[in-house]
Amino acid sequence: MGGLSARTEDGFVPRTREVIAARVDRVADGVVSLVLVTPDGSPFEPWEPGAHVDVHLGGGLVRQYSLCSSPGDLSHLRVAVLDVPGSRGGSRRVHRELSAGDTLEISEPRNNFPVRDSRKYLFLAGGIGITPLLPMIERAERAGREWRLVYGGRSRAAMAFAGQLADTYGDRVELVPEDERGRMDLGAVLSLPRAHTLVYACGPGGMLRAVEELCMGWPPGTLHTERFAAAALGPGATSGPFEVELARSGKTVSVSAERTVLEAVEDVGVRVLSSCRQGLCGTCETAVLSGEPEHRDAVLTGDDAGSTMMICVSRAAAGCDRLVLDL
């Protein structure tokens, strides 16, 4: 789906692509699947497992959803949406207002959760976290790799695609409905590091924190995660004001405790491509030329820390009163 973004003199201006919700299906208790097609029936361009799209739902609502269709079938894209209690509008719109035949706009797929080649994989899913793992499992299966999925949820009826997975892949899929078996025993699953195995996990924050702790003894680079929300800040998090120098535009802005870097930059007329404004999608990633950022997003890994930052949520670290950004 190339050609969806265009550079202007003062930054990136996103363009979107019109799609039609060809099917709106309930695939589990509280989960709706959207099958998206192009208006003229033309295929989408190739994408990789782990990718997500921004879905523009009208009224300024933009939400990020993982692609869970087959990367080998470009006739359509599929996302699945959880009905979230207390939703800010996205899931409510999908579950209560959207119908088959409605027109939407989506962004170009972006991938903050790419799957690396490995001899073996361990996939861990919690609830709607199964969605980005579906194309990864398909890729591993087609490549003849050894893999295992452990998938937990509130109940079997609430676990999207659970039946399809079990029927297709048999005992390589372990379903853990909480009302039948209790919570996933992550300690048992991750008790011993496995040679030549990469771990891909997606689910609620509590599950991912447990997985991260249990994988501390595994080889570096083993664990790969995707979060639904940015991690909670620790007690040492900073919130005071600081300055940001914009190297390319020659401007300097002050960022108060109540404002984000993105908001401050926009206030002086510098446009930056952004979407979620919650540190989840990676759209506003910006190079850091000088200074130390405090990362508050759910995208960057330790390898990226320091060289870039998500300016919608991240700030200057304690003791750093000035950041220089490539803007």
Side-chain angles (χ1 to χ4, degrees):
M1 290 161 44
L4 297 183
S5 301
R7 181 184 283 275
T8 62
E9 290 184 358
D10 56 353
F12 284 101
V13 178
R15 292 187 305 198
T16 56
R17 178 175 194 162
E18 187 176 272
V19 296
I20 296 171
R23 290 176 55 186
V24 181
D25 301 321
R26 187 165 298 278
V27 293
D29 290 349
V31 181
V32 161
S33 165
L34 304 181
V35 175
L36 308 174
V37 298
T38 58
D40 62 0
S42 60
F44 292 96
E45 291 189 6
W47 55 275
E48 292 295 315
H52 71 270
V53 291
D54 298 345
V55 180
H56 295 248
L57 295 166
L61 286 175
V62 183
R63 297 292 183 265
Q64 292 72 41
Y65 299 117
S66 297
L67 292 175
C68 59
S69 47
S70 169
D73 182 357
L74 300 176
S75 66
H76 68 278
L77 300 176
R78 181 179 66 181
V79 299
V81 182
L82 177 67
D83 192 2
V84 180
S87 159
R88 293 179 298 121
S91 68
R92 183 172 63 246
R93 162 91 169 105
V94 171
H95 279 257
R96 293 162 180 76
E97 301 174 26
L98 195 65
S99 300
D102 285 355
T103 298
L104 301 167
E105 292 185 338
I106 63 171
S107 72
E108 179 179 33
R110 294 193 303 277
N111 201 339
N112 300 322
F113 195 34
V115 60
R116 290 168 36 202
D117 190 33
S118 180
R119 297 187 198 175
K120 303 176 184 178
Y121 296 96
L122 173 60
F123 298 108
L124 303 174
I128 197 65
I130 189 60
T131 51
L133 303 185
L134 292 175
M136 295 183 185
I137 290 169
E138 179 184 320
R139 173 71 58 85
E141 177 70 5
R142 289 189 174 184
R145 303 298 191 253
E146 183 179 326
W147 63 269
R148 177 189 178 200
L149 167 67
V150 183
Y151 175 16
R154 290 184 294 105
S155 67
R156 196 174 296 268
M159 296 167 66
F161 311 112
Q164 169 191 325
L165 284 162
D167 291 344
T168 304
Y169 299 118
D171 59 9
R172 283 176 293 175
V173 173
E174 181 180 358
L175 301 179
V176 189
E178 189 174 336
D179 61 347
E180 298 176 24
R181 298 182 49 186
R183 293 189 178 182
M184 287 190 292
D185 188 351
L186 294 171
V189 174
L190 298 167
S191 58
L192 294 173
R194 296 173 179 82
H196 312 296
T197 301
L198 294 182
V199 179
Y200 282 80
C202 185
M207 169 194 152
L208 294 184
R209 286 191 293 273
V211 170
E212 288 167 348
E213 271 189 38
L214 291 163
C215 282
M216 289 182 67
W218 288 54
T222 293
L223 177 62
H224 304 266
T225 63
E226 184 166 70
R227 297 178 179 274
F228 300 146
L233 298 179
T238 61
S239 59
F242 57 95
E243 287 192 336
V244 173
E245 179 183 337
L246 311 179
R248 279 193 279 128
S249 63
K251 299 177 180 180
T252 298
V253 298
S254 296
V255 182
S256 66
E258 298 78 24
R259 304 282 283 168
T260 67
V261 175
L262 177 59
E263 290 168 338
V265 166
E266 290 175 333
D267 285 347
V268 296
V270 175
R271 301 176 69 178
V272 179
L273 181 62
S274 65
S275 179
C276 73
R277 294 180 177 249
Q278 300 178 71
L280 302 178
C281 70
T283 309
C284 68
E285 184 173 5
T286 301
V288 179
L289 303 180
S290 179
E292 181 184 357
E294 179 179 85
H295 299 288
R296 301 185 176 190
D297 62 274
V299 177
L300 293 175
T301 67
D303 294 337
D304 304 310
S307 61
T308 66
M309 66 185 289
M310 302 302 165
I311 63 173
C312 65
V313 292
S314 298
R315 302 180 67 81
C320 175
D321 57 9
R322 189 181 185 89
L323 294 173
V324 181
L325 302 181
D326 186 22
L327 290 172

